[in-house]
Amino acid sequence: VDSCAPGLPTAESCNGVDDDCDGLTDDNIAPVPTTCGVGACRATGESTCQDGVMVDSCAPGLPTAESCNGVDDDCDGAVDDGIAPVPTTCGVGACASTGALTCVGGALQDSCVAGTPGTETCNGIDDNCNGAVDEGLSCGADSDDDGVPDALDNCPSVPNPGQLNTGGDPTKGNACDVPTNKDECKANGWRTFTSAGFRNQGQCVAFVERADRVRGRDGDRDGIPDTSDNCPAIANSSQLDSDNNGRGNACDVPKSRNECSNNLWRSFTLAGFRNQNQCVAFVNLVSWFNARF
């Protein structure tokens, strides 16, 4: 009598074993659909039994640069992210405007809205926004041929269609004027003073400094004319005068300890104090001397 008794078959699984005892290993194991990746990189595949192991054939696509199309091109889980706005312009003449091209709902949208055309008038501006300035009007002579009639031009002898006017004379454009402060020389502002003939910003600044000295000599160059400076020999743009005696601290000495506190001792330039203690010691010495003599 043979005591050998075969085991009971079980459902076949992917393990390199003939679980259902039909003589075939890992047979009739159906493939399982799979997915992988996100956005434009999303792909499909299937998991199949190979040599006793389930192997997934799904391979995600490669990410690309993000573009405005409603798709996650760079496969980072966000759609149309990191797309920077692009500045735009629209309209002509008085209708000229600015905006930005931005990605909205998978499409680029321009926020620029041109202005509303008006009635053309004689002002050197394209009021009706058709690309022509003062067309159909008799605006008189335009000596500098800059599109602005002489009657309206703030510098009729030098072309200046922008009519920029930041100089000293409110009725005269920069092209025919000169700067009155150094700020007007910054950011290529010196170029707008055409008739002055500046070759660079330094020449513009030098002109302003020279003009300031002529208008009211400023020996210490602190921005305060000597005739108004309470200490014309020492630069003291703050004009601090803590004892109100008409002489600025820079040319004066402290009369009380209070004038040595809160860093006020630093304002007594001529006295040459190196710290607050020296200032206090000076006041104490003067008080002692005055009490005895």
Side-chain angles (χ1 to χ4, degrees):
V1 177
D2 189 352
S3 63
C4 183
L8 296 175
T10 59
E12 195 75 5
S13 62
C14 184
N15 55 8
V17 177
D18 178 14
D19 302 286
D20 58 4
C21 309
D22 63 354
L24 300 173
T25 301
D26 296 341
D27 61 316
N28 297 321
I29 298 177
V32 178
T34 61
T35 61
C36 58
V38 295
C41 299
R42 184 177 176 81
T44 60
E46 59 180 13
S47 184
T48 58
C49 185
Q50 299 179 25
D51 299 325
V53 178
M54 296 299 290
V55 177
D56 191 350
S57 65
C58 187
L62 295 175
T64 59
E66 196 77 3
S67 61
C68 185
N69 56 7
V71 178
D72 176 17
D73 302 286
D74 57 6
C75 309
D76 65 352
V79 176
D80 296 340
D81 61 314
I83 299 177
V86 178
T88 60
T89 59
C90 58
V92 296
C95 298
S97 184
T98 60
L101 199 63
T102 56
C103 185
V104 180
L108 290 172
Q109 293 186 7
D110 193 346
S111 65
C112 189
V113 178
T116 303
T119 302
E120 196 74 5
T121 58
C122 190
N123 57 4
I125 299 173
D126 177 17
D127 302 285
N128 60 7
C129 311
N130 67 350
V133 176
D134 297 343
E135 81 281 3
L137 302 174
S138 179
C139 298
D142 180 11
S143 302
D144 55 10
D145 197 28
D146 61 0
V148 183
D150 291 351
L152 301 172
D153 200 331
N154 60 17
C155 182
S157 60
V158 181
N160 64 329
Q163 299 289 287
L164 184 65
N165 183 7
T166 64
D169 189 338
T171 65
K172 188 184 296 183
N174 285 15
C176 285
D177 204 358
V178 293
T180 56
N181 63 73
K182 297 177 184 179
D183 287 340
E184 293 181 275
C185 300
K186 297 178 180 178
N188 281 326
W190 61 272
R191 297 180 183 274
T192 65
F193 295 94
T194 313
S195 61
F198 301 132
R199 294 183 179 179
N200 51 54
Q201 182 175 336
Q203 287 187 348
C204 179
V205 171
F207 173 88
V208 173
E209 291 178 342
R210 185 166 58 251
D212 285 344
R213 290 194 293 272
V214 170
R215 281 193 293 267
R217 299 198 64 83
D218 180 13
D220 55 11
R221 297 194 175 188
D222 60 1
I224 311 297
D226 290 350
T227 54
S228 304
D229 201 329
N230 61 16
C231 180
I234 300 175
N236 64 328
S237 57
S238 69
Q239 298 290 284
L240 185 62
D241 180 11
S242 55
D243 60 3
N244 297 313
N245 67 350
R247 183 185 300 168
N249 284 13
C251 285
D252 205 355
V253 292
K255 311 298 190 302
S256 69
R257 296 179 183 178
N258 288 336
E259 292 182 278
C260 298
S261 61
N262 299 321
N263 278 327
L264 198 58
W265 61 270
R266 298 179 183 274
S267 65
F268 294 96
T269 312
L270 186 62
F273 300 130
R274 294 183 179 180
N275 52 53
Q276 183 175 344
N277 290 337
Q278 287 188 350
C279 180
V280 171
F282 174 85
V283 172
N284 290 341
L285 179 62
V286 172
S287 297
W288 176 85
F289 183 86
N290 290 336
R292 285 163 175 74
F293 300 97

